[in-house]
Amino acid sequence: MTDTRTSISGGSGPARTGPPARPGPSAADELARRRSSPAQRVQHLLHGHPAISPALILVLTVVVFASLNPRFGEPQTISLMVQQTAVVAALAVGQTLIILTAGIDLSVGAVAILSMMLMAKTASENGLSGPVALLLGLVAGIAAGALNGFLVTRLKLPPFIVTLGTLSVFTAMALLYTGGRSVQQVAMPDLLNWTGEIIRVGDFRITTGVLITAAIYLVAGFALSQTAWGRHVYAVGDDAEASRLAGIRVNRVLFSVYVAAGLIYALAAWVLIGRAGAASPNAIAGANLDSITAVVIGGTSLFGGRGAVLGTLLGALIVQAFTTGLSLAGVDDQYRLLAVGVLVILAVSVDQWIRKVRA
Amino acid sequence: MTTPVLSARGLVKTFGRVVGLDGVDLDLHRGEVLAVIGDNGAGKSTLIKTLTGALAPDAGEIRLDGELVSFKRPQDAREAGIETVYQTLAVAPALDIASNLYLAREERRPGVLGSVLRMLDKKGMRDRAQQSVQELGISTIQNMAVPVESLSGGQRQAVAVARAAAFGSKVVVLDEPTAALGVKESGQVLRLVEQLRERNLGVILISHNMPHVWEVADRIHVQRLGRCAGVITPESHSMTDGVAIMTGAMALPA
């Protein structure tokens, strides 16, 4: 046996075992050359930058609706759209974190409502000051997330089942606690209503709630893309067993994700108080599916490990653009539902396609 | 003879009534490739798992550079300088090569960015990943920003080996590194194994592939029915002998 301790290059395998050199291009080389078709290149681009497709859809949506009705592009309409998106967009950040770990959260709305009612009622009826009531609500969100996280990591229950259960539990708790009654704006301290305050930026009017949502995106986006924790969230969602073998404490990462999501839902609840001008236990009934819709349209994979909060923001804006645009066009609201449904299926199909990418 | 980098004496591991290891001794020196062969159920995996902290032995002792050690988790073994390349590779497909090399060992930016904002030193990790891959002479991997899922089986294996080589200061354990690979890619991985030996690491190679074992191993530990049936070398015994000892058709003089 000869010693072939040469460097490992793609072209030269071990000479004694390699196939005889072929003259001219082989069939495989031909195939390799043919492979870089335009579709393949698009697939590669989307694989590297999954936010491109929702960005394109958003631009397309805005252009189409603006051309159908000039009012769509006016600062007033855009301001309103942004304000209306703020709550779902904030909730969808928490949902993104959980979906990145290959989980799903059906208790999104329930956690937010429970936190919100706790803030509102302790302030209005128990005379707690604004900051204390707010803090209590945030702690409630964290505790709710921790319960979900505990059930997922310790009892090893599937996230779908855990959050399906806690959806009912938290909803019932909120309704039992409030007796189904809302708390009006005037009964709440200024701090809780603060998220409804208008800020003028030129012709645009946004609320402080919108700024809180923006801050949530910035912090979550930074944590996911720039910190080791973010890497671990992606790795765990991608392949939990491989992550464990590589030395990641998978349960700790998962638990932290559910806790972070709980905190985000509670912050979204605060934004909701300002947006709705009241705290109602029957608000945001569609929050669960709306948040999942935003995440999926935003290009985050339901199978975990792929996606980003930027996509989720675009996804939430797309849904809102459809809602506003179709209503301005005077079309029946059912068409919005139809369009969003088609978009969801389209987004998941695109995700499946780009996952098959090969270098 | 120098002190073995890794040595085990009288390792016993039972699973209920099933005996996995029945008093196994093993010595591994620096700059040596020790292959572990054996039939299914002979205790290869159990032996390796006890050495790398995935399982705790019921009895027996493990010494690293002569020091008695006891690993409770794989992390303990890793921190002590023993890296394992699992058969499943333990890489995250969607993450890029550099991220996988530094998975669970990420490095942060210097200064406030790293300590307060906990920002990753992405560029630094990428550069150092490039460097360690180059040092190993892996030229099939060029761009550290490419996700692992777009790599071939051999390239993925190379990533896993490069990770072990970059962080394993004493011992690298490879579990069936060529099992899923073709001839050419297997050859590349075997060259990597030789590279590890040249770096003066102790290498344990578990394999079912006798030609591969006979090609790179310095010594061969034959595991049979939970015991060590003997330690042979590619020079002292043929592959047929090795298989015969493995299956009990031939016994080594004690």
Side-chain angles (χ1 to χ4, degrees), chain A residues 8 16 47 225-226 238 245, chain B residues 78 94 120 122 139 149 215:
Chain A
I8 298 148
R16 63 186 174 282
H47 188 261
S225 66
Q226 301 297 330
D238 201 11
L245 290 175
Chain B
R78 191 175 297 140
L120 290 174
K122 287 187 183 177
S139 59
E149 66 194 339
E215 188 182 337

Side-chain angles (χ1 to χ4, degrees), chain A residues 223-248:
Chain A
L224 280 176
S225 66
Q226 301 297 330
T227 71
W229 178 81
R231 280 282 160 82
H232 295 173
V233 169
Y234 282 99
V236 166
D238 201 11
D239 190 333
E241 179 59 14
S243 304
R244 193 185 66 79
L245 290 175
I248 294 173

